[in-house]
Amino acid sequence: MNPRRARARNAIIGFAVGIALIAAAAWVLVGQADSLTKARSAAADAPWWLVAAMLLTPVANAAIVAWSFQIIMNRFGRVPFGDMAALIGSAWLLNYLPMRPGLVGRLAYHKAVHKVSFRNSIAVSVALALMTGLAAGHLLAVWLAFLARTGLGIAVTIVSIGLVLLAANIAADRSPAGAVPRGALRLALALRYVDLAIWALRFVIAFEIVGEPIPFLVGLMLAAAVQLAYLFPLTGAGLGVVEWAVAFVAPLAVPIDPATAIAAALVNRAAELATAVPVGLLAGATIAKRRKKLGLRDPSGHSQALPPDSVPPAP
């Protein structure tokens, strides 16, 4: 089979699997009438500021991700934060679709406007994925160690910090696009921990909305598990995978039934979509306007070549 057709088929299958996983999660929740009733009642009584925080935290995640990318991308070209934020915002929405058009469009834009090759852009994405896995895996390892014994947890925490920094240095030195400054990758790694903390806050808020408060540390473990699940791109934007990861991990950390965990995960997904749609549309319009200003006919940039000096600063 043609490789492009195979990728398209796999992407469509992945999208269908994501929809099926979401439907299965909803079916499980509906089947647990008590959990559903409790979650609906608690959500109806949730204060406005809690709902507002639920809607704003995904935007904070997107901003942190954009900053992480900009730090490393600037090693290969001049990428203004405005451009990076618009690209991440647009990709955030588009990557819900099959074939991950948000990723493809972002790589093409970097090549056309910022003169960053596909190879270097992909290398940056791989490096940041490694930093995400490193940070999430680190938190889970520390958590499991503390669950076994407090002394073991303290020892693992002390030893693992050095190992994490060593792994980041190795990743920086052996980047397929050429060495990345260690300081830049360490900062990007630190931002992955900030991103995880915001994700933890999202889960704390989501569980509060459905009437089952959880400690922040449990939210942090859920965030780490979800980020590790994201590294396996079975479905676009982790559709369905995130919800079931929460349903599996939450009952292991706190006495809570999987249906309530699913309810909280669906609240998180609804809040993300409620923000991803307007942010993605606005960001996409910004990118389209900038392409037009630069004389690019399409997202792939297959039109007139732009000399580096002709690229104006981002608005």
Side-chain angles (χ1 to χ4, degrees), residues 201-291:
L201 182 58
R202 286 171 62 172
F203 285 125
V204 168
I205 295 171
F207 276 89
E208 184 72 33
I209 287 176
V210 299
E212 284 288 348
I214 61 171
F216 181 79
L217 287 179
V218 172
L220 204 55
M221 295 309 103
L222 292 176
V226 163
Q227 290 305 303
L228 289 175
Y230 264 117
L231 295 179
F232 300 93
L234 175 64
T235 64
L239 194 64
V241 176
V242 168
E243 287 70 24
W244 282 103
V246 172
F248 177 75
V249 175
L252 298 178
V254 289
I256 190 173
D257 64 278
T260 300
I262 286 175
L266 290 175
V267 166
N268 173 70
R269 177 67 67 183
E272 179 173 307
L273 281 170
T275 51
V277 171
V279 169
L281 292 176
L282 179 61
T286 301
I287 292 298
K289 182 179 179 180
R290 183 149 162 76
R291 284 204 317 267

Side-chain angles (χ1 to χ4, degrees), residues 37-205:
T37 300
K38 179 182 177 180
R40 289 176 60 182
S41 177
D45 294 333
W48 68 267
W49 57 266
L50 195 64
V51 176
M54 189 75 252
L55 293 171
L56 289 175
T57 44
V59 179
N61 281 125
I64 292 296
V65 170
W67 189 10
S68 301
F69 269 97
Q70 187 207 19
I71 289 168
I72 309 299
M73 290 296 295
N74 277 338
R75 159 68 175 76
F76 305 104
R78 187 174 66 87
V79 183
F81 181 76
D83 273 15
M84 199 70 250
L87 288 167
I88 293 299
S90 177
W92 184 17
L93 176 60
L94 290 175
N95 282 342
Y96 272 92
L97 303 175
M99 297 296 289
R100 296 179 64 83
L103 172 63
V104 176
R106 180 172 62 79
L107 299 182
Y109 189 89
H110 282 313
K111 181 175 177 60
V113 176
H114 305 128
K115 309 306 174 188
V116 179
S117 68
F118 287 124
R119 178 174 179 268
N120 289 346
S121 291
I122 292 172
V124 170
S125 296
V126 171
L128 287 177
L130 288 174
M131 293 305 99
T132 298
L134 190 60
H138 178 213
L139 290 180
L140 280 177
V142 169
W143 178 55
L144 290 173
F146 269 106
L147 283 181
R149 197 165 60 250
T150 301
L152 178 62
I154 294 173
V156 169
T157 300
I158 295 172
V159 173
S160 61
I161 291 174
L163 293 176
V164 165
L165 292 176
L166 176 62
N169 289 340
I170 294 173
D173 295 341
R174 299 187 179 182
S175 167
V180 172
R182 288 184 173 186
L185 199 60
R186 284 177 178 176
L187 179 54
L189 174 61
L191 288 175
R192 306 318 294 155
Y193 285 99
V194 175
D195 185 53
L196 283 165
I198 296 172
W199 266 95
L201 182 58
R202 286 171 62 172
F203 285 125
V204 168
I205 295 171

